[in-house]
Amino acid sequence: MPTLVVRRHVYNARGGAPPYRGSFLTATDEVELDANVPFVAQEQLVFPSEGCQLFAIPRSPDGRAPNRWEDGLGVEVGLEASPAEVFGIWGQHEMVVLVPMDGMD
């Protein structure tokens, strides 16, 4: 089965008074996924916890992701799609996982 290695950026939501509220980059790594298997069947490889959202962003020329996630930076990805459909073989896009805030604000 063909695999695809995708760079993943994980953002965790934080509460508090501005400017500390928002989703901030906490990790960047690479994940190896089955290229033609939908994300829903590979959730354990994609998401660090439940309730996360998946996005695709254009690959940065310097290889760095923004420190803070802002709406409009990427396109939300449906879990019924496959990595090959979203990220293709050329690596022009990277994965973003938004982890919701756990607990009260």
Side-chain angles (χ1 to χ4, degrees):
M1 182 171 296
T3 61
L4 191 61
V5 177
V6 180
R7 178 170 285 158
R8 174 178 63 178
H9 307 289
V10 178
Y11 290 80
N12 284 80
R14 285 193 266 182
Y20 306 106
R21 176 185 303 267
S23 292
F24 294 87
L25 183 66
T26 54
T28 296
D29 60 5
E30 290 185 339
V31 292
E32 185 175 0
L33 303 168
D34 290 324
N36 298 312
V37 175
F39 288 107
V40 70
Q42 302 185 78
E43 286 184 271
Q44 74 283 0
L45 298 173
V46 175
F47 299 126
S49 61
E50 291 186 19
C52 298
Q53 291 177 281
L54 181 62
F55 288 83
I57 59 171
R59 186 174 177 181
S60 169
D62 64 6
R64 297 176 59 191
N67 188 46
R68 183 178 180 155
W69 179 258
E70 301 288 342
D71 288 338
L73 286 179
V75 176
E76 190 164 6
V77 174
L79 297 182
E80 64 284 341
S82 72
E85 292 171 323
V86 175
F87 300 109
I89 59 172
W90 304 112
Q92 298 301 316
H93 289 85
E94 297 179 343
M95 178 188 305
V96 168
V97 174
L98 297 183
V99 180
M101 188 169 55
D102 190 21
M104 295 179 54
D105 181 12

